Amino acid sequence: MPELKKETYDVTIMGSGPAGLTAAIYAARANLEPVLFEGPQPGGQLTITTDVENYPGFPDGIMGPELMEHMRTQALRFGLEAHIAYIADVDTTTKPMTVTLDDGTKFQTRTLIVASGASARLLGLESESHLMGYGVSTCATCDGYFFRGKEIVIIGGGDSAMEEATFLTKFASKVTVIHRRAELRASKIMQDRAFANPKIEFIWNTEIVEVLGSREEGVNALRIHNTETGETSDYPCQGVFVAIGHIPNTKVFTGKLKTNDDGYIITEGGSTRTTVPGIFAVGDVQDFTYRQAITAAGSGCMGAIDAERYLESEHVIEEHRTENWGT
Ligand code: NAP
């Protein structure tokens, strides 16, 4: 059971990826004494990538887990209270709101910055998890560069798969899209772009049985099963991108915050405000377009500023600072 320092917080942050930790750095530096709950994947999606070469400030690149450790250390330096726990429920009808953790602990918060991210949907194969970061990836923008001159496979038939396939032709010698049906789900324009690209081939009606390879030598093939013919074969490739959708981590807010049809939290015109005053959404939990560490970090900063402005508008900050001064 986490030992909370307070019964009521001004700022609670849910999630510890770039969005949550950047919100924490800003809120802690603003003396808002935030508390952060790291969630089921401390450090977020960057902890499952290897080199990060596109995060500004690191000319030689940095390993994803190391970047997250830096952000965490930076937030702790400003006094962040962080706990390894999940937020299981938020009662938005009380003011302050009531938060319940996974172990049943309850506390109050005046604002909540939701940075719970989105998880890439996976096929669910053991070999897929084992080789994640060793030839299997869920992010073409992050990892495409490592597959220069290689033959790679994209799994999926939606817009993400078409976008990633098209993007990856910049690096790969050949890109093969493997889709479980004979028809793509992607929008026509994305399909047309992919069909017109001479470097992209398609394999239809095919499911992935196994990713073949090792952590030492990377991926060397996919064992595939054609659902029409019943045939199973090994398809050689050196990289696999799983692009079968993302799942925003918004279960806790079902029926409480407005989301789009895919479950992403809707924020108000260029801000991080959600449909519940005092709740702000940042990072991939509200972003299905950019999904980058740097954009997540940027929106985390926005969330902390929006939360601070909300507390000012509610005249909480003066109270808070008065309490701190002991008057
Ligand atoms: P999506 O539209 O849900 O497509 C997922 C694809 O993965 C589908 O083709 C699906 O097959 C396949 N799939 C799902 N589970 C699978 C499994 N277990 N095994 C094999 N294949 C599986 O997801 P998305 O492509 O990430 O797109 C999500 C949303 O973001 C969409 O609204 C999309 O339009 C939007 N988006 C837009 C852009 C853009 O406009 N630039 C780019 C990316 C995403 P079935 O077709 O058989 O179901």
Side-chain angles (χ1 to χ4, degrees):
M1 180 175 285
E3 273 197 30
L4 302 185
K5 290 189 185 157
K6 298 186 187 187
E7 284 174 10
T8 304
Y9 289 88
D10 283 345
V11 178
T12 297
I13 300 165
M14 176 180 184
S16 55
L21 285 173
T22 306
I25 292 166
Y26 273 76
R29 278 193 85 244
N31 284 336
L32 296 172
E33 299 176 357
V35 64
L36 176 147
F37 297 95
E38 300 201 12
Q41 191 179 11
Q45 292 186 64
L46 277 194
T47 57
I48 58 163
T49 61
T50 49
D51 286 282
V52 178
E53 293 184 325
N54 53 9
Y55 198 90
F58 298 94
D60 300 323
I62 183 166
M63 298 301 274
E66 194 187 352
L67 177 60
M68 295 322 300
E69 199 43 50
H70 282 330
M71 289 192 197
R72 192 171 185 276
T73 306
Q74 192 175 351
L76 292 174
R77 181 179 144 218
F78 296 111
L80 172 70
E81 180 184 336
H83 297 285
I84 297 174
Y86 320 159
I87 291 181
D89 189 38
V90 180
D91 184 348
T92 55
T93 62
T94 62
K95 201 170 177 184
M97 293 173 273
T98 305
V99 177
T100 308
L101 300 179
D102 52 324
D103 67 357
T105 305
K106 284 185 194 294
F107 68 94
Q108 313 264 294
T109 191
R110 294 187 175 98
T111 67
L112 177 66
I113 299 178
V114 183
S116 46
S119 308
R121 188 176 282 131
L122 295 175
L123 298 165
L125 303 171
E126 208 176 292
S127 52
E128 173 192 41
S129 329
H130 182 67
L131 295 173
M132 186 63 67
Y134 298 86
V136 179
S137 171
T138 53
C139 176
T141 323
C142 323
D143 298 332
Y145 188 72
F146 302 117
F147 295 89
R148 289 186 307 276
K150 305 263 167 78
E151 297 194 355
I152 55 186
V153 165
I154 316 289
I155 302 162
D159 279 339
S160 293
M162 294 312 106
E163 191 171 62
E164 303 227 324
T166 307
F167 175 77
L168 286 165
T169 57
K170 286 190 208 166
F171 308 104
S173 57
K174 179 177 149 195
V175 173
T176 307
V177 174
I178 301 186
H179 184 38
R180 64 182 176 185
R181 295 188 294 137
E183 197 183 318
L184 295 173
R185 178 178 295 278
S187 55
K188 188 166 181 316
I189 185 167
M190 305 283 273
Q191 294 195 24
D192 288 349
R193 202 172 290 157
F195 287 144
N197 192 316
K199 271 188 173 179
I200 303 179
E201 287 183 12
F202 289 82
I203 297 182
W204 305 102
N205 299 312
T206 296
E207 291 173 350
I208 313 302
V209 181
E210 209 68 73
V211 186
L212 305 175
S214 66
R215 286 192 169 183
E216 291 70 34
E217 300 196 357
V219 168
N220 55 48
L222 279 178
R223 183 151 300 153
I224 56 176
H225 173 77
N226 186 306
T227 53
E228 289 272 283
T229 63
E231 191 195 335
T232 298
S233 58
D234 292 351
Y235 188 78
C237 61
Q238 288 103 48
V240 179
F241 286 79
V242 183
I244 59 173
H246 278 79
I247 307 170
N249 302 316
T250 49
K251 222 164 89 189
V252 169
F253 302 102
T254 307
K256 294 178 184 175
L257 293 181
K258 196 167 171 194
T259 62
N260 72 9
D261 291 345
D262 295 320
Y264 289 90
I265 298 175
I266 292 174
T267 52
E268 206 178 87
S271 80
T272 65
R273 289 190 298 273
T274 67
T275 41
V276 172
I279 302 189
F280 306 89
V282 300
D284 286 11
V285 77
Q286 50 85 56
D287 171 17
F288 47 88
T289 310
Y290 303 105
R291 296 178 179 147
Q292 300 301 298
I294 186 68
T295 49
S299 78
C301 156
M302 289 163 63
I305 293 173
D306 286 342
E308 187 179 19
R309 290 188 180 152
Y310 171 83
L311 291 166
E312 276 166 8
S313 74
E314 295 276 298
H315 306 292
V316 170
I317 287 188
E318 283 81 359
E319 285 170 31
H320 165 94
R321 289 188 177 149
T322 309
E323 278 167 27
N324 280 353
W325 294 334
T327 51

